[in-house]
Amino acid sequence: RGQVIATLHFGDNYFHEHKDEAIAAIFDAVRAAEPQVVVAGPAFNSGRYGVMCVEAGNAIANELAMPCVTAMHIENPGVDAYREFANAWMYCLPTAEATSGMSEAMTRLAHLTIRLAKGEKIGSAAQEGYIGRGIRHIEKTESRGAARAVEMLLRKIHGESYASELPLEVWDDAAPAPPLDRDLERRVHPER
């Protein structure tokens, strides 16, 4: 249902060391090929490559107003860059940590890319399975926000499943460092 019309490749070290030249080359290649959608990656858990995919995709989305799709593991540093840029033309799909998940990643990339090329409406991250960007859209609903909040609270109180309309960022718990050994510190640094 789709066709790859061009492939552009270069090292992530080159991209990060020569960003302006690399992005200019990407723009030239994309303008020459005239694709409907640009796919960058998948990056899996390769951090510098993930950041490159997001930065290149966002540059294309901003400059050429063209949809871009990438894919990477949720712990890839590129995901933070993706959320920071929060471009409505850019989508990032979650992948396995390693390239052993290539088949699934490529299948999901192809599916979303074809939908974007057709101009289909893409729903929320929760509906579609891409990584959320924090972009919120105003939607008209049947009930007021206060009524929906009370319904959610009642579901929570009764132990039923519920989903917040405004998800909060969840922070990892980190164990505190062990206390300093003051006697050791005095022996090493008696002047203190």
Side-chain angles (χ1 to χ4, degrees):
R1 293 180 292 154
Q3 180 182 2
V4 176
I5 58 172
T7 302
L8 179 65
H9 59 90
F10 48 86
D12 51 1
N13 284 338
Y14 178 83
F15 180 88
H16 291 290
E17 292 169 5
H18 307 281
K19 195 173 294 187
D20 293 337
E21 296 94 340
I23 288 178
I26 292 169
F27 285 165
D28 290 344
V30 170
R31 285 184 181 115
E34 297 180 349
Q36 292 176 291
V37 181
V38 173
V39 177
F44 300 99
N45 205 21
S46 178
R48 288 174 59 83
Y49 185 51
V51 172
M52 179 187 75
C53 291
V54 169
E55 289 184 1
N58 274 305
I60 292 166
N62 287 330
E63 180 73 21
L64 306 177
M66 181 178 296
C68 297
V69 182
T70 188
M72 61 192 72
H73 188 260
I74 193 71
E75 293 181 7
N76 188 311
V79 171
D80 291 333
Y82 163 74
R83 287 180 174 146
E84 181 181 329
F85 289 121
N87 188 312
W89 288 90
M90 181 79 186
Y91 297 90
C92 182
L93 295 168
T95 67
E97 187 172 359
T99 56
S100 59
M102 183 68 78
S103 179
E104 181 184 351
M106 294 305 290
T107 300
R108 295 185 71 212
L109 275 168
H111 180 72
L112 183 57
T113 301
I114 290 168
R115 290 186 60 207
L116 287 166
K118 288 180 176 180
E120 290 183 18
K121 184 178 186 299
I122 306 299
S124 70
Q127 294 169 329
E128 302 286 351
Y130 60 86
I131 298 171
R133 301 167 289 195
I135 297 174
R136 295 191 175 109
H137 301 280
I138 297 173
E139 295 180 10
K140 189 169 181 109
T141 61
E142 298 295 321
S143 61
R144 293 178 180 249
R148 293 192 314 275
V150 170
E151 288 174 21
M152 184 176 69
L153 177 62
L154 290 173
R155 292 179 71 85
K156 182 176 182 178
I157 290 171
H158 291 94
E160 299 172 6
S161 65
Y162 66 94
S164 172
E165 294 175 11
L166 300 172
L168 300 174
E169 189 169 353
V170 178
W171 297 91
D172 292 334
D173 287 333
L180 294 174
D181 182 353
R182 296 290 180 193
D183 293 331
L184 175 63
E185 186 177 349
R186 285 187 197 107
R187 288 190 303 260
V188 174
H189 302 287
E191 68 280 356
R192 289 187 186 174

